[in-house]
Amino acid sequence: MAHRIAVIGGDGIGPEVTAEALKVVRAAGVAVDTVDFDLGGARYLRDGEILSDATLDQLRAFDAILLGAVGTPEVPPGVIERGLLLKLRFDLDLYINHRPFHGQPGSIAEGCDFVVVRENTEGSYAGEGGVLRFGTEHEIATQGSVNTRFGVERCVRYAFELAKSRTRKHLTLVHKTNVLTFSGSLWQRTVDAVRLDYPEVSVDYNHVDAACIYLVEQPQRYDVVVTDNLFGDILTDLAGAVSGGVGFASSANLNPDRTSPSMFEPVHGAAHDIEGKGIANPTATISSATLMLRFLGEEIAAARIDAAIAADSSEHAGVPRKTTEVTRSIIERLV
Ligand code: IPM
Ligand code: MN
């Protein structure tokens, strides 16, 4: 049975990289039935649709969603992000953002292998807050961070399960418990409680500012990092940069309970400056597709593609190439 995949290419280089990822998936022998959904900034500018309830219901019927990148400079910040990307994460309850990093040859984190587990439905992304007296000298803007015991615990449990399945079995909570004493305490107490169920996992804690230094100076200390939504957003850009560039960083927005389709996307954005030039690096999206294949039970194909990606990137580290050249090289290295 072919897997049913909804493809949201989106804006900028998004459609270019999702197309390449699907070529690799098919070349690895996995049958996928894809349906394209024209969503993103360009679509919004054309007819006003961001993500209607009807479209969301159609998406629910798929096994997974593969997303390129969304957002256009002509649309004010937040419209597409909140209305499309975050709406998908929230409404499909994709509460884990699983972001693996493999330090590329020549990168600061060369040889390192770690995963950031970012809570994906709460924190300061929840949209709590508001504005009063907008545009006046007396304007007040508040933007809170929502942390529920339920939301934190399901994220922390996922991270412990992941750590338990890995060789090093090490988990680091990253937060800012010295300043964010309410939410930090909830995260810390949740980790302290859940760790009792995982005696084989060693546990560490880093403040987020210190974690930024460690990511640059000692990235090898990390195995599984668990953190809140906003810290996870920032930390994963840095993790991508020290691992060889966000051009390699993949991500999985997961609903581990499988009550709705999970969504797979590269960490990088739409990169409008290189749109249509045929030079976007599709590696991050191809890696995201392997996360998708693993989640769909296609472990063997995913491992073959990952090995081909590793062989390709170690051979061509740092060399700019055409998009299709990268794809061809990865497909040639599939064994
Ligand atoms: C990411 C992105 C998004 C985020 C934006 C586009 C809303 O930066 O996936 O990391 O902040 O989560
Ligand atoms: Mn980000």
Side-chain angles (χ1 to χ4, degrees):
M1 273 280 282
H3 302 287
R4 293 190 20 91
I5 311 296
V7 182
I8 304 175
D11 299 306
I13 62 168
E16 302 171 40
V17 289
T18 49
E20 299 305 301
L22 290 168
K23 282 187 203 164
V24 177
V25 166
R26 291 191 165 108
V30 180
V32 286
D33 270 347
T34 60
V35 176
D36 283 309
F37 284 78
D38 177 12
L39 295 168
R43 166 74 191 270
Y44 170 66
L45 289 171
R46 215 170 50 247
D47 69 7
E49 161 143 5
I50 303 177
L51 178 64
S52 66
D53 290 345
T55 307
L56 186 62
D57 279 344
Q58 284 172 28
L59 288 170
R60 286 184 197 279
F62 286 81
D63 297 323
I65 302 168
L66 183 67
L67 184 138
V70 293
T72 329
E74 299 85 53
V75 181
V79 175
I80 304 298
E81 290 85 345
R82 289 217 85 88
L84 178 55
L85 190 62
L86 300 186
K87 189 171 167 60
L88 285 167
R89 289 179 184 169
F90 285 46
D91 288 12
L92 299 178
D93 203 18
L94 308 176
Y95 61 88
I96 297 298
N97 201 324
H98 176 117
R99 295 186 158 177
F101 297 92
H102 307 279
Q104 297 298 308
S107 70
I108 291 173
E110 175 163 359
C112 295
D113 175 353
F114 60 96
V115 181
V116 177
V117 174
R118 163 185 175 189
E119 200 291 322
N120 214 28
T121 53
E122 301 193 339
S124 26
Y125 280 67
E128 191 219 40
V131 60
L132 273 176
R133 310 192 195 106
F134 181 82
T136 72
E137 275 176 30
H138 302 284
E139 179 165 345
I140 300 169
T142 64
Q143 192 108 41
S145 171
V146 175
N147 298 264
T148 69
R149 172 68 196 222
F150 167 77
V152 173
E153 181 164 341
R154 63 183 182 170
C155 174
V156 164
R157 280 201 182 275
Y158 176 89
F160 268 103
E161 280 294 326
L162 179 65
K164 181 180 164 181
S165 74
R166 292 167 61 89
T167 317
R168 287 174 60 197
K169 306 192 193 318
H170 185 62
L171 179 132
T172 310
L173 169 65
V174 170
H175 208 280
K176 186 76 185 174
T177 55
N178 54 344
V179 173
L180 305 182
T181 49
F182 309 131
S183 57
S185 161
L186 174 56
W187 276 84
Q188 184 66 67
R189 282 180 288 114
T190 305
V191 166
D192 293 345
V194 173
R195 71 181 291 184
L196 301 176
D197 295 340
Y198 298 88
E200 62 278 76
V201 176
S202 58
V203 181
D204 216 343
Y205 170 80
N206 291 160
H207 289 318
V208 65
D209 45 354
C212 291
I213 297 178
Y214 293 142
L215 268 179
V216 175
E217 294 189 345
Q218 294 170 18
Q220 65 282 359
R221 66 158 61 213
Y222 295 120
D223 182 26
V224 175
V225 172
V226 66
T227 191
D228 88 349
N229 209 339
L230 183 58
F231 293 147
D233 175 49
I234 298 165
L235 223 46
T236 53
D237 267 21
L238 181 56
V242 299
S243 301
V246 281
F248 292 100
S250 59
S251 84
N253 298 267
L254 301 177
N255 175 316
D257 311 328
R258 297 176 191 265
T259 54
S260 48
S262 291
M263 179 167 76
F264 301 83
E265 53 163 337
V267 174
H268 66 68
H272 292 278
D273 51 329
I274 57 165
E275 173 181 0
K277 296 196 172 137
I279 55 167
N281 187 342
T283 306
T285 314
I286 299 171
S287 289
S288 303
T290 71
L291 294 174
M292 175 176 83
L293 293 182
R294 285 216 162 78
F295 199 71
L296 295 174
E298 299 283 357
E299 181 59 43
I300 295 169
R304 287 173 58 221
I305 298 173
D306 279 342
I309 293 172
D312 169 72
S313 11
S314 63
E315 226 166 285
H316 298 100
V319 186
R321 285 178 293 164
K322 289 214 164 80
T323 307
T324 51
E325 259 174 61
V326 179
T327 310
R328 200 178 323 120
S329 160
I330 290 172
I331 290 175
E332 275 167 16
R333 282 164 180 75
L334 283 173
V335 282

